[in-house]
Amino acid sequence: MRKIYTLLAFTLVLISCGEKKPTSVAAIISVGDLKELTAKKKEITANLETINADLEAINNAIAKKDTLKKLPLITTFTAKEAVFKHYLEIQGSVKTKQNILIYPEMPGILQKVYVKEGQKVSKGQLLATIDDGGIGNQVAQLEATTQLAKTTFERQKRLWEQKIGSEIQFLQTKTNYESQRNSLKQLKSQQNKASIRAPFSGVIDDVMKEAGTVIAPGQGSEIFRIVNLDNMYVEAEVPERYITSIQKNKEVKIEFPVLGASVDSKVRQVGSFINPNNRSFRIEVPVENKSGNVKPNLTAKLQVNDYTDENAILIPQSIISENANGEQFIYTIKNKKSNNEATAERVIIKTGKTQGNFIEVLENLPAGTEIIDEGARSVNNGQVVKVINK
């Protein structure tokens, strides 16, 4: 009898050592390696598929035996073709090609300033004058001598046409007149540099020098900043992967967060150079500025149309589920009866681009299909449901 008890105890010890205690998910996540994690995932996935299959079978059995027919209530909508436009969202900055500093072209004393900051000016309008250092007097004197040379040349020309005088006299008077005229033209050009005029129509943004200041051409002698706020545009950098989809004349929605305003426009120019530092190319989008509130360097958000499908099928993203294989699916209904009872059917779909809460369906969903909307997360494949669309 004692030998029997000893053998029984030994057998119990062997059995207890051979038992494998199940490992929890939390424990594997905490201390498990990749192999253990992968194995546990496969185990859970297999169990999930088994549970779903069992649940579906039970639901079907209940549906057949339930005489009261307590059916899940759902709503549906019909898949329709629609125009789908996808927009790429990027950030840009407002710029203008007419935003320049005006420098003097000759040294001297700034004699008079005729404009103020914020004043609108027209192209060619006189902004300021510089003391010309006596060039005006030289011009007046040269005009008199040029007029005399012209009169002498004209008289000599008439005499030469009458065969009076020598050819050399005629040529000398002609050369003298042309020389005087060219000198006068050059001196007047120098005199014009004493008058500073607006190179284009715009607004005087800054007056940097006061009357009486000694100025000279070169850096540091800026007198005005003039800006044209009519011809504004937004410049933005676009990642190079969109180079085939972002083209000239593509639709663009421009939003100015600071102003709380937005405008519609089109891509005016697409850069031909890829910046090697950030792998992007530049685009320009013109902006209307009727209010004058759009200023250079203002931040703008762009939505550029990079994809359009004229006959797209769009569905809400919220009704899409995913199975253990990573496939996306939705539920449709079939065999709809006059009392609005129907059968739910799982449909595997392939999706494309998204815009807002909607996503484009590329495959396996023809137009006219009735899709479950509300209740899509609580039904199963083959389950009888009740449609309560109003």
Side-chain angles (χ1 to χ4, degrees), residues 37 107 113 206 213 241 332:
L37 289 169
V113 177
D206 194 5
T213 305
R241 64 179 178 273
T332 63

Side-chain angles (χ1 to χ4, degrees), residues 98-114:
Q98 294 183 320
N99 176 14
I100 65 170
L101 295 171
I102 299 179
Y103 293 83
E105 295 185 77
M106 64 178 295
I109 299 174
L110 190 61
Q111 200 169 40
K112 193 168 185 180
V113 177
Y114 298 98

Side-chain angles (χ1 to χ4, degrees), residues 158-200:
R158 287 195 296 270
L159 291 174
W160 175 245
E161 289 173 349
Q162 298 174 14
K163 306 300 182 181
I164 300 174
S166 64
E167 182 180 6
I168 192 65
Q169 288 177 319
F170 167 70
L171 294 176
Q172 285 176 341
T173 55
K174 180 181 178 182
T175 301
N176 183 51
Y177 168 58
E178 290 179 349
S179 176
Q180 292 285 339
R181 187 176 60 180
N182 290 335
S183 297
L184 178 61
K185 184 179 179 180
Q186 184 177 3
L187 194 60
K188 282 186 174 181
S189 177
Q190 187 69 20
Q191 184 187 31
N192 288 337
K193 293 180 180 180
S195 299
I196 301 174
R197 299 182 180 275
F200 52 80

